[in-house]
């Protein structure tokens, strides 16, 4: 099944459902070009697409994770190598998503690609992906970092509840802005993207200043750069998790391709442009940190390593000013994440998979997925207020990255599988029931270039490593959490998938068997609906 279009979300009456039952089609065979999306819906141009990716990637990772990466890697040299490896994985991942996005340029991202690969049992993969999309609080971690840096800028000690309340305000602002004023949300995202660019460039310049001027003793981190390197697969994996978290976002525009002008061309330009810019900035930013602070200072700074850099170079006053700018960067990331997750939830609502699907699939009353955004907001609120503050950020990073690694490995190896065993297009008569569902998305898989296949293989293997190694015990002092067991995020990731499978079993198998009916999908005005048909 592919996701359905968003062009019409009117209520479905019982009488019209009966009429629609005669035009049952497989949503797997929906036209990927999404020709019925009106021009008014395509509001995202090349610049906005670049910033949608840029804003999602550059959130708080480069400001908040370097201390954890250094503590896990053990040395400055390996830390910098980790960032290079992360860039290679992100670049390969970008190529994978360009291939899929060009083949199926619709809202929904991985949901569509998994549905294309796994068509049987019917609706199982959609239910599993829906659980992953709905239950994981993608924006919670950066909402908390926003709170931490805001309080730092205000010279307030971040207590347990003040931090949570500021994080709550951040995610709620993102919900209201993107749910009621789509154009202003995109404009603010673009503006905050420029702020991030300014902050990173200024941070990098500060690093070069640090080579000649510091208010503290020079750290000399680049002499014997590999001293202290940790030789542990588990530590390497957890370190790579933090690096990959900092690069996550290369797929962000794929979640909104139905709203992108000329989506195939745009994604092929916007993705590589954003990845190249981010990689250069990340590497230079890390050099700046190591030029201004010792390894001990960085590892003990927690998520405030960027503030430490400015304090050591310019003094305490500059540290507070930088904290305010990093807070704005975190806000930009929360806005970008919320934007994409709302569209994933809306696409799931349009499939008819979720309870009250018509509500979650709607874009009323503000021509924006307010209801879909609310689902993600609720998940974030639960994480913000329920998890222990000390472990919340790392748990969110790892719990999101773990199942995403499984998904990424699957769609990467899926490209290779489709290259060597491309699907056979259906006959015209089998897809003639609807003008908007006239052909399956059967791109020329067998003609994929060697670079695309190599990127898919590398990305798939890297992600396989990322979801297998965390099941092994970490070395002493390499535990990822203060209070939680090391395997918590792996268990949580598999549990999320399991919840989706159980939901499918009850909704699509057990209840129809007990009730003596079968579920039959129809498409009415672009919206997927299920009817209970008596056996």
């Amino acid at each position: 099944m592919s996701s359905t279009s968003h062009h019409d979300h009117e209520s479905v009456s019982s009488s019209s459902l009966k009429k629609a039952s005669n035009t049952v089609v497989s949503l797997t065979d929906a036209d990927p070009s999404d020709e019925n999306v009106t021009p008014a819906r395509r509001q995202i141009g090349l610049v906005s697409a670049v910033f949608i990716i840029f804003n999602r990637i550059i959130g708080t990772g480069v400001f908040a994770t370097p201390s954890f990466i250094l503590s896990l890697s053990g040395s400055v040299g390996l830390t910098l190598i980790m960032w290079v490896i992360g860039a290679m994985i992100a670049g390969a991942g970008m190529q994978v998503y360009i291939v899929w996005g060009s083949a199926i340029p619709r809202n929904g991202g991985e949901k569509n690609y998994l549905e294309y690969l796994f068509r049987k049992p019917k609706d199982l993969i959609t239910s599993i992906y829906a659980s992953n999309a709905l239950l994981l609080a993608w924006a919670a971690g950066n909402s908390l970092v926003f709170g931490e840096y805001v309080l730092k800028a205000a010279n307030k000690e971040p207590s347990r509840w003040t931090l949570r309340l500021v994080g709550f305000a951040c995610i709620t602002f993102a919900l209201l802005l993107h749910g009621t004023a789509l154009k202003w949300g995109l404009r603010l995202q673009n503006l905050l993207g420029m702020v991030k660019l300014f902050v990173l460039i200024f941070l990098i310049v500060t690093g070069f200043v640090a080579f000649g001027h510091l208010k503290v003793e020079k750290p000399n981190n680049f002499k014997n750069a590999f001293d202290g390197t940790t030789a542990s697969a588990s530590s390497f994996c957890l370190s790579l998790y933090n690096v990959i978290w900092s690069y996550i976002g290369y797929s962000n525009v794929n979640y909104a391709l139905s709203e992108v002008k000329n989506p195939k061309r745009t994604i092929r330009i916007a993705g590589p442009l954003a990845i190249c810019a981010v990689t250069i900035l990340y590497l230079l930013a890390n050099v700046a940190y190591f030029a201004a602070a010792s390894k001990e200072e960085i590892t003990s700074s927690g998520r405030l390593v960027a503030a430490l850099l400015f304090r050591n170079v310019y003094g305490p006053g500059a540290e507070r000013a930088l904290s305010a700018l990093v807070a704005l960067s975190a806000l930009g990331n929360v806005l970008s994440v919320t934007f994409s997750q709302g569209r994933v939830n809306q696409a799931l609502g349009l499939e008819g998979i979720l309870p009250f699907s018509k509500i979650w699939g709607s874009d009323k009353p503000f021509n924006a997925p307010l209801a879909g955004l609310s689902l993600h907001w609720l998940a974030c609120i639960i994480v913000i207020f329920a998890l222990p503050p000390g472990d919340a950020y790392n748990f969110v990073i790892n719990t999101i990255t773990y199942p995403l690694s499984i998904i990424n490995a699957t769609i990467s190896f899926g490209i290779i599988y489709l290259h060597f065993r491309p699907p056979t297009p259906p006959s015209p008569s089998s897809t003639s029931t609807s003008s908007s569902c006239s052909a399956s998305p059967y791109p020329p898989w067998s003609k994929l270039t060697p670079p695309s296949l190599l990127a898919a293989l590398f990305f798939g293997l890297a992600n396989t490593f990322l979801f297998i190694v965390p099941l092994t015990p970490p070395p002493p002092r390499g535990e990822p959490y203060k209070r939680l067991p090391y395997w918590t995020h792996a268990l949580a990731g598999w549990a999320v998938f399991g919840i989706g499978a159980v939901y499918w079993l009850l909704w699509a198998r057990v209840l129809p068997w007990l009730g003596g009916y079968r579920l039959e999908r129809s498409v009415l005005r672009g919206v997927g609906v299920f009817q209970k048909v008596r056996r």
Side-chain angles (χ1 to χ4, degrees):
M1 301 178 313
S2 297
S3 67
T4 52
S5 62
H6 294 221
H7 67 281
D8 193 340
H9 304 156
E10 295 180 10
S11 299
V12 182
S13 66
S14 59
S15 60
S16 57
L17 278 178
K18 293 177 182 178
K19 294 177 181 178
S21 64
N22 293 324
T23 58
V24 177
V25 298
S26 170
L27 294 189
T28 308
D29 298 333
D31 183 357
S33 64
D34 214 357
E35 295 174 354
N36 291 321
V37 175
T38 61
R41 293 286 294 173
R42 297 195 182 275
Q43 303 181 53
I44 301 172
L46 179 60
V47 173
S48 290
V50 170
F51 278 115
I52 284 173
I53 299 171
F54 191 80
N55 263 316
R56 177 69 181 266
I57 297 178
I58 301 182
T60 57
V62 70
F63 306 115
T65 63
S67 63
F68 301 113
I69 295 167
L70 177 60
S71 63
L72 289 166
S73 301
S75 69
V76 172
L78 182 57
T79 297
L80 292 175
I81 290 174
M82 296 300 298
W83 285 96
V84 173
I85 294 173
M88 294 170 62
I89 293 173
M94 185 73 256
Q95 182 59 36
V96 167
Y97 279 89
I98 286 174
V99 170
W100 277 112
S102 298
I104 311 176
R106 288 177 172 269
N107 281 10
E110 300 99 344
K111 168 192 161 297
N112 299 325
Y113 316 148
L114 292 169
E115 289 172 344
Y116 186 95
L117 290 168
F118 301 99
R119 306 190 183 199
K120 294 179 181 180
K122 193 174 182 181
D123 302 315
L124 173 59
I125 197 66
T126 308
S127 298
I128 291 174
Y129 183 80
S131 178
N132 179 74
L134 296 174
L135 298 180
L136 295 184
W138 292 78
N142 281 331
S143 296
L144 289 169
V145 174
F146 170 82
E148 196 164 2
Y149 272 96
V150 163
L151 294 171
K152 182 74 174 179
N155 205 23
K156 300 289 184 182
E157 189 66 27
S159 70
R160 181 169 182 169
W161 285 103
T162 55
L163 181 61
R164 288 170 167 173
L165 289 173
V166 177
F168 168 80
C170 175
I171 191 65
T172 302
F173 171 74
L175 164 72
L176 295 176
L177 181 63
H178 279 319
T180 61
L182 176 60
K183 287 186 177 180
W184 283 104
L186 288 173
R187 289 168 182 166
L188 182 59
Q189 278 188 191
N190 292 350
L191 176 62
L192 291 176
M194 297 301 296
V195 170
K196 290 180 186 186
L197 188 59
F198 167 76
V199 171
L200 274 174
I201 291 175
F202 190 45
L203 186 149
I204 291 165
V205 170
T206 298
F208 282 101
V209 171
F211 280 110
H213 169 75
L214 271 179
K215 293 185 178 293
V216 295
E217 184 180 351
K218 288 187 177 181
N220 295 319
N221 282 320
F222 298 103
K223 291 183 178 179
N224 301 317
F226 288 92
D227 280 354
T229 296
T230 302
S232 163
S234 181
S235 293
F236 181 86
C237 184
L238 288 170
S239 178
L240 197 56
Y241 264 21
N242 282 271
V243 173
I244 288 176
W245 167 259
S246 300
Y247 279 104
I248 281 179
Y250 44 80
S251 62
N252 207 35
V253 77
N254 288 60
Y255 301 117
L257 285 179
S258 292
E259 301 170 53
V260 173
K261 301 172 184 176
N262 196 351
K264 295 181 182 180
R265 174 182 178 273
T266 298
I267 191 175
R268 289 170 182 165
I269 298 174
L273 185 61
I275 287 291
C276 289
V278 167
T279 299
I280 294 170
L281 292 171
Y282 275 5
L283 290 174
L284 291 176
N286 276 275
V287 170
Y289 295 142
F290 294 130
S294 67
K295 287 172 59 177
E296 292 73 21
E297 283 182 304
I298 293 173
T299 54
S300 63
S301 67
R303 292 184 290 272
L304 300 175
V305 62
L308 170 66
L309 166 64
F310 272 60
R311 184 181 69 212
N312 285 358
V313 177
Y314 301 121
E319 179 184 11
R320 292 176 60 187
L322 185 276
S323 296
L325 291 174
V326 174
L328 289 177
S329 176
L331 176 60
N333 179 267
V334 171
L335 285 171
S336 184
V337 171
T338 304
F339 174 87
S340 60
Q341 286 306 117
R343 277 143 187 83
V344 172
N345 294 344
Q346 185 183 46
L348 289 167
L350 290 172
E351 288 283 359
I353 295 292
L354 306 178
F356 312 108
S357 283
K358 286 186 288 185
I359 296 175
W360 314 126
S362 173
D363 61 358
K364 295 180 179 179
F366 302 106
N367 196 33
L370 179 60
L373 290 165
S374 299
L375 289 174
H376 183 248
W377 174 85
L378 180 61
C380 291
I381 295 305
I382 292 172
V383 168
I384 287 172
F385 285 98
L387 287 181
D391 286 334
Y393 184 76
N394 281 344
F395 178 78
V396 169
I397 288 177
N398 295 334
T399 304
I400 288 173
T401 307
Y402 188 87
L404 183 61
S405 297
I406 298 172
I407 292 171
N408 282 337
T410 303
I411 64 173
S412 298
F413 293 133
I415 286 177
I416 298 172
Y417 174 81
L418 291 170
H419 174 73
F420 291 103
R421 297 193 64 181
T424 303
S427 62
S429 60
S430 64
T431 56
S432 60
T433 54
S434 171
S435 60
S436 63
C437 302
S438 57
S440 294
Y442 288 92
W445 294 108
S446 59
K447 298 181 180 179
L448 290 176
T449 62
S452 295
L453 294 173
L454 288 174
L457 179 62
F458 175 69
F459 193 55
L461 292 175
N463 281 281
T464 301
F465 172 82
L466 289 173
F467 74 75
I468 290 178
V469 173
L471 301 175
T472 62
R477 298 187 301 277
E479 293 81 3
Y481 308 114
K482 296 178 181 177
R483 303 178 185 177
L484 300 174
Y486 72 89
W487 42 260
T488 304
H489 61 275
L491 177 63
W494 285 111
V496 165
F497 288 145
I499 290 171
V502 170
Y503 172 78
W504 170 83
L505 185 64
L506 293 173
W507 164 70
R509 291 293 185 267
V510 175
L511 292 180
W513 179 73
L514 292 175
Y517 62 85
R518 73 176 187 277
L519 290 173
E520 194 169 86
R521 177 184 290 277
S522 301
V523 178
L524 181 65
R525 301 189 182 98
V527 180
V529 293
F530 282 96
Q531 300 173 80
K532 297 178 181 179
V533 180
R534 290 292 171 186
R535 291 193 181 97

